[in-house]
Amino acid sequence: MKRCSFYGGERDCTNEQALRDPGKPDHKELVTRSTVKAGINPILTSSTTSRMQRPKVDGKFLVVGAEKFFVKGVTYGSFPPNTIGDQFPEADEVATDFALMRREGGINTILTYTVPPITLLDQAEEFGLRVIVVVPWMEYVCFLEEKAVRKQVIREIRNGIASCRRHPAVLMYCVGKEIPPDIVRWHGPK
């Protein structure tokens, strides 16, 4: 195990930060080069220097500072695994996508189909994008029938949220995005 710095402190890790090849340029270096090439000014990204304020709920609206925040979003995914194993494109491709979303589309939010790695959240923050994190699980099966499956679902949701919960680019989490109506009817509102 290697020690890695994450939002909120250090912990053991085996993710892409620990596996990154020291001979290759750092993720932030790649992103910064890509953002400059794309004509976008990069925003500093770290938990202590973030320019992104967390939105707050004000009645039926989200607000950032004193302004209402209107989600102008697109889905981002699903993708085959990249060279690190994350289900997202390579960092330079993500930077190009995000630059086009901001510059050409006026997009301010993306919805992912899997829990993104911290590196993707850092890139989203650099481009001023917020992320709706979908925590995938087996919502298409009768997950309430067996205690072991219910525990597994809860564990997967907790792990997904814990992996990125303090990142300033996270707008919200989406859990159980596509539960079939038959399951809801069968089990009822409770």
Side-chain angles (χ1 to χ4, degrees):
M1 282 284 175
K2 182 171 178 162
R3 296 295 288 175
C4 290
S5 253
F6 287 89
Y7 298 90
E10 268 194 16
R11 67 176 184 217
D12 291 334
C13 63
T14 58
N15 70 0
E16 73 276 6
Q17 290 177 330
L19 301 174
R20 196 175 289 139
D21 181 353
K24 292 183 181 174
D26 186 282
H27 156 75
K28 289 192 187 260
E29 183 184 330
L30 276 175
V31 172
T32 303
R33 274 193 262 145
S34 300
T35 55
V36 171
K37 195 186 297 184
I40 302 259
N41 291 330
I43 298 169
L44 297 175
T45 64
S46 92
S47 57
T48 57
T49 60
S50 175
R51 293 184 191 175
M52 281 191 137
Q53 289 182 326
R54 287 240 186 228
K56 293 183 175 22
V57 176
D58 183 15
K60 65 179 183 177
F61 296 101
L62 291 174
V63 293
V64 176
E67 292 186 33
K68 289 180 182 172
F69 178 78
F70 295 97
V71 174
K72 298 174 191 156
V74 295
T75 57
Y76 195 63
S78 62
F79 300 101
N82 61 19
T83 55
I84 301 170
D86 297 319
Q87 288 184 284
F88 292 96
E90 301 298 334
D92 57 342
E93 294 172 54
V94 170
T96 301
D97 292 345
F98 288 179
L100 290 170
M101 286 178 198
R102 290 295 288 166
R103 190 180 64 225
E104 304 295 326
I107 302 300
N108 64 12
T109 306
I110 62 168
L111 178 137
T112 62
Y113 287 103
T114 58
V115 177
I118 294 295
T119 53
L120 186 117
L121 293 172
D122 286 345
Q123 284 184 280
E125 184 182 4
E126 275 191 56
F127 286 96
L129 292 170
R130 304 209 181 251
V131 181
I132 300 172
V133 177
V134 172
V135 181
W137 51 282
M138 302 175 297
E139 62 261 353
Y140 53 87
V141 299
C142 290
F143 55 92
L144 296 174
E145 298 294 322
E146 296 179 36
K147 189 175 183 176
V149 175
R150 289 194 307 267
K151 284 184 176 184
Q152 178 186 351
V153 167
I154 291 168
R155 187 172 46 253
E156 288 176 17
I157 292 168
R158 282 185 180 151
N159 290 343
I161 290 171
S163 71
C164 56
R165 72 176 170 184
R166 292 192 179 159
H167 199 287
V170 173
L171 178 63
M172 64 182 77
Y173 301 93
C174 183
V175 180
K177 181 172 76 70
E178 297 174 0
I179 298 174
D182 295 346
I183 292 177
V184 176
R185 277 190 218 105
W186 181 260
H187 289 285
K190 186 180 175 190

